[in-house]
């Protein structure tokens, strides 16, 4: 009986409010259209109250100037206190095998992140065998595809049963084996056991190897249909020449078929060793537990030897343009030069920060960046353009990339170079610098807002042997940024007159290099 009475009351209420809902919907549509068609947005509290009251006048208009006027009177941010930042406490120790460990205790979540890095990326492929490109990548693929104790299917089932994230991957500089697990012994201890099996007992099954090579070759063939991949491959090959960074980490169509189990075993024996490793751990552990786990992970690693330093690549002596014909309505463009290596001392780190500020103003991915403003917004030549530095053990690349219509590629390249030249000649402004430094400071805490974020930073710092003040003094380095130093660092770092420019598209922009080393008609 009570249920029937409530149903009748509900139906009556629905009839009484039907017209109010229609009016509210009309008002919402008006407000939504106003927000889409004008840069000024309506006050959200006002809009919510209007909807609640029914806003019976569906033809009501919005005063577009009101929000702008209100912003000029907003004073709440004037009283905002300076950002107070607490950097995670990092504890350091070495395992019984001599592996350096960086550990941060984080008890908020019952999770542990482990990051074991070796100085053993694809740059070491050629040391295993001449033209052995792809060996490091294949070794990383196969570490989790079966061990002496568990075949591929059993290993995969064990990982899934524990609900852990266990993987390995190879980059140009480094080889990473990572684990994420719940921190209770029931999950963590068997997870660490699986991780140690991958490090010391991989089978590198020949049948699985042949399957992996077949799949990889299909992927490498597909890269030929991707203009971005073609541009990146050509850029690295031209920029680095005979340097180990020149070849792709995944290998090539010519080298992958020749990879054998013996190559993978040789790579493991030579580079996946204690003397070549560094370990980062973050999570719900005590220091004593962390030390115990670190010993368990690295205890069975062969001692081995640390990898030899990589040679330094030689910069290009003149501008160069490479065009790759590709049937597309768009032209993909990569331009840049040899960049910096990872900064390890205080002075170099300050210069790295100076450059980061200047480059964010010139080539950052946001809509305030000069390249984005000019090439996208003012000229309409691309949907997006940005550039970044990739420091590594040896000098990494500096690249600016974008895509544009085939018939506009020359215009877009010329306009981009003009923005770069103008920035280097005249420098960035004080207002641009302050906006960028404020953004960098306020976004910095997000770098360690999660266990994974903290552990990624720890792993990077430990691998490159960076001191703790790399992290703790980050805010100080930003505060020490000076306009004169930013502009000077930009001029010392970039030389657009010697840029390597790679284009992939149906039409050749017909750039050529003059005797003055400038890209011209």
């Amino acid at each position: 009986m009570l249920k029937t009475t409530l149903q009748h009351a509900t139906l009556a209420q629905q009839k009484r409010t039907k017209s109010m809902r229609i009016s509210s919907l009309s008002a919402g549509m008006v407000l939504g259209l106003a927000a889409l068609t004008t840069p000024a947005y309506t006050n959200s509290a006002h809009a919510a109250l209007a909807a609640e009251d029914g806003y019976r006048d569906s033809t009501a208009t919005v005063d577009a100037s009101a929000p702008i006027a209100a912003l000029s009177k907003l004073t709440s941010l004037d009283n905002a206190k300076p950002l107070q930042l607490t950097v995670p406490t990092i504890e350091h120790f070495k395992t019984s095998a001599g592996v350096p460990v960086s550990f941060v205790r984080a008890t908020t979540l019952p999770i542990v992140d482990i990051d074991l890095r070796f100085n053993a990326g694809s740059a070491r492929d050629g040391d295993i065998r001449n033209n052995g490109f792809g060996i490091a990548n294949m070794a990383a693929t196969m570490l989790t595809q079966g061990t002496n104790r568990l075949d591929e299917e059993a290993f995969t089932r064990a990982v899934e049963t524990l609900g852990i994230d266990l993987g390995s991957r190879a980059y140009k500089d480094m080889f990473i084996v990572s684990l994420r697990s719940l921190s209770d012994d029931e999950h963590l201890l068997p997870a660490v056991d699986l991780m140690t099996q991958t490090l010391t007992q991989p089978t590198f099954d020949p049948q699985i190897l042949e399957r992996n090579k077949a799949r990889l070759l299909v992927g490498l063939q597909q890269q030929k249909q991707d203009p971005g991949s073609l541009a990146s491959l050509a850029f690295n090959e031209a920029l680095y020449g005979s340097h180990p960074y020149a070849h792709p980490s995944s290998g090539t169509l010519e080298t992958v078929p020749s990879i054998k189990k013996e190559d993978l075993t040789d790579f493991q024996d030579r580079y996946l060793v204690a003397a070549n490793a560094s370990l980062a751990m973050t999570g719900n552990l005590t220091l004593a537990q962390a030390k115990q786990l670190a010993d368990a992970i690295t205890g069975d690693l062969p001692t081995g030897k640390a990898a030899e330093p990589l040679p330094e690549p030689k910069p290009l002596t003149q501008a160069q343009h490479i065009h790759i014909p590709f049937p597309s309505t768009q032209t993909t463009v990569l331009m840049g030069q040899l960049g910096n290596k990872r900064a390890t001392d205080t002075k170099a780190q300050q210069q790295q920060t100076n450059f980061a500020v200047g480059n964010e103003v010139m080539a950052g991915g946001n809509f305030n960046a000069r390249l984005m403003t000019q090439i996208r917004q003012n000229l309409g030549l691309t949907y997006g353009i940005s550039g970044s530095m990739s420091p590594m053990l040896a000098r990494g690349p500096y690249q600016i990339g974008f895509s544009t219509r085939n018939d506009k590629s020359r215009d877009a390249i010329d306009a981009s170079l003009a923005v770069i030249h103008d920035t280097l000649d005249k420098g960035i402004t004080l207002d641009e610098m302050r906006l960028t430094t404020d953004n960098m400071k306020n976004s910095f805490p997000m770098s360690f807002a999660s266990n994974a974020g903290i552990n990624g930073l720890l792993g990077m710092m430990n691998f490159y042997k960076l001191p703790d003040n790399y992290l703790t003094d980050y805010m100080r380095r930003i505060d020490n940024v000076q306009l004169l130093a930013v502009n000077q660092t930009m001029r010392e770092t970039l030389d657009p007159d010697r840029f390597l420019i790679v284009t992939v598209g149906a039409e050749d922009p017909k750039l050529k290099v003059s005797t003055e080393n400038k890209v011209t008609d």
Side-chain angles (χ1 to χ4, degrees):
M1 183 69 177
L2 177 60
K3 181 178 180 181
T4 303
T5 303
L6 288 174
Q7 287 174 339
H8 284 305
T10 301
L11 288 172
Q13 178 63 25
Q14 289 174 347
K15 291 178 180 179
R16 285 195 299 268
T17 60
K18 184 176 182 180
S19 60
M20 292 175 62
R21 291 184 177 179
I22 293 174
S23 297
S24 297
L25 179 59
S26 299
M29 292 175 65
V30 170
L31 292 174
L33 288 172
L36 288 172
T37 55
T38 67
Y41 292 87
T42 58
N43 181 279
S44 58
H46 173 73
L49 288 172
E52 185 178 338
D53 289 339
Y55 220 128
R56 292 179 176 82
D57 183 6
S58 62
T59 60
T61 58
V62 178
D63 182 359
S65 65
I68 301 296
L71 285 176
S72 66
K73 298 178 181 179
L74 185 64
T75 59
S76 58
L77 292 178
D78 295 339
N79 299 321
K81 295 180 180 180
L83 178 66
Q84 296 296 320
L85 182 64
T86 301
V87 176
T89 300
I90 305 174
E91 299 185 82
H92 301 278
F93 58 89
K94 285 190 175 183
T95 70
S96 56
V99 176
V101 183
S102 296
F103 168 63
V104 168
R105 188 181 187 192
T107 59
T108 304
L109 297 173
I111 292 175
V112 172
D113 284 285
I114 299 173
D115 183 305
L116 181 62
R117 302 193 183 201
F118 299 92
N119 185 345
S122 63
R124 309 293 177 175
D125 287 344
D127 295 337
I128 301 300
R129 178 169 54 80
N130 189 35
N131 291 326
F133 305 146
I135 291 175
N137 176 70
M138 187 61 71
T141 300
M142 296 195 67
L143 282 191
T144 56
Q145 290 183 321
T147 68
N148 293 340
R149 289 158 52 189
L150 298 170
D151 63 19
E152 182 182 26
E153 183 179 348
F155 190 92
T156 301
R157 189 185 306 114
V159 168
E160 292 177 348
T161 299
L162 290 171
I164 62 176
D165 185 0
L166 174 60
S168 53
R169 52 206 181 277
Y171 301 99
K172 289 189 183 296
D173 267 345
M174 62 185 74
F175 189 104
I176 304 177
V177 181
S178 60
L179 170 67
R180 162 167 273 212
S181 169
L182 292 174
S183 58
D184 61 277
D185 288 350
E186 184 179 353
H187 290 85
L188 184 57
L189 296 183
V192 168
D193 179 61
L194 289 176
M195 184 177 185
T196 57
Q197 285 187 53
T198 67
L199 291 165
T200 59
Q201 303 175 28
T203 56
F204 298 131
D205 186 296
Q207 289 186 337
I208 298 176
L209 173 59
E210 291 305 312
R211 183 190 71 199
N212 288 342
K213 291 196 293 186
R215 289 178 177 175
L216 181 54
L217 288 171
V218 171
L220 293 175
Q221 285 284 2
Q222 290 175 340
Q223 282 186 348
K224 292 185 175 183
Q225 305 305 315
D226 177 33
S229 296
L230 292 175
S232 181
L233 292 171
F235 187 94
N236 286 329
E237 184 177 344
L239 184 66
Y240 285 105
S242 60
H243 191 272
Y245 285 169
H247 70 268
S249 295
S250 56
T252 68
L253 288 169
E254 294 73 31
T255 62
V256 166
S258 67
I259 296 176
K260 295 181 174 58
K261 176 179 178 177
E262 291 74 17
D263 297 326
L264 308 182
T265 302
D266 289 347
F267 181 87
Q268 176 196 4
D269 293 341
R270 182 166 180 176
Y271 288 113
L272 304 189
V273 297
N276 207 36
S278 60
L279 183 63
M281 306 176 71
T282 301
N284 187 29
L285 299 170
T286 64
L287 180 59
Q289 289 173 322
K291 289 181 176 180
Q292 195 173 25
L293 280 179
D295 278 339
I297 294 168
T298 62
D300 291 335
L301 288 176
T303 302
K305 295 181 180 179
E308 293 293 328
L310 290 170
E312 284 298 334
K314 297 179 180 180
L316 298 177
T317 58
Q318 63 180 21
Q320 185 177 353
H321 173 224
I322 298 171
H323 179 72
I324 302 173
F326 187 83
S328 172
T329 59
Q330 294 274 311
T331 295
T332 297
V333 180
L334 272 183
M335 60 171 66
Q337 62 172 70
L338 209 57
N340 297 330
K341 62 193 302 182
R342 177 65 64 175
T344 56
D345 63 85
T346 303
K347 181 179 179 182
Q349 287 170 7
Q350 184 62 58
Q351 289 180 322
Q352 190 177 62
T353 303
N354 292 343
F355 180 83
V357 172
N359 186 67
E360 184 68 14
V361 172
M362 182 185 76
N366 61 78
F367 286 97
N368 292 321
R370 292 185 174 188
L371 280 173
M372 186 75 85
T373 298
Q374 178 66 1
I375 310 305
R376 173 185 165 128
Q377 296 181 39
N378 295 344
L379 299 178
L381 295 174
T382 186
Y383 283 112
I385 178 171
S386 62
S388 61
M389 182 78 74
S390 300
M392 297 191 285
L393 282 175
R395 294 179 66 181
Y398 175 81
Q399 288 182 331
I400 294 172
F402 62 92
S403 294
T404 187
R405 278 171 41 188
N406 287 332
D407 61 326
K408 296 295 184 181
S409 57
R410 177 59 185 272
D411 293 339
I413 292 170
D414 289 345
S416 299
L417 290 172
V419 170
I420 297 168
H421 275 291
D422 184 71
T423 302
L424 298 181
D425 292 343
K426 300 177 183 177
I428 68 171
T429 67
L430 186 60
D431 285 344
E432 288 174 318
M433 187 193 81
R434 286 174 175 168
L435 179 64
T436 301
T437 54
D438 284 348
N439 177 269
M440 292 172 68
K441 289 171 66 174
N442 291 328
S443 61
F444 177 55
M446 296 303 296
S447 302
F448 41 85
S450 66
N451 283 16
I454 295 171
N455 212 53
L457 279 172
L458 289 184
M460 181 274 293
M461 291 170 60
N462 209 4
F463 178 82
Y464 289 111
K465 297 180 173 59
L466 300 177
D468 287 356
N469 64 11
Y470 176 84
L471 185 63
T472 58
D473 290 353
Y474 179 80
M475 303 290 275
R476 180 190 58 78
R477 289 198 297 274
I478 295 177
D479 287 334
N480 287 344
V481 167
Q482 301 292 324
L483 185 62
L484 211 59
V486 169
N487 290 326
Q488 183 64 27
T489 302
M490 291 287 286
R491 295 186 190 104
E492 292 174 351
T493 304
L494 298 181
D495 185 1
D497 289 340
R498 295 183 181 182
F499 267 10
L500 167 65
I501 300 176
V502 176
T503 55
V504 181
E507 299 179 18
D508 189 342
K510 299 189 183 302
L511 305 175
K512 63 182 180 181
V513 182
S514 76
T515 56
E516 297 177 350
N517 297 333
K518 294 184 179 181
V519 178
T520 62
D521 288 326

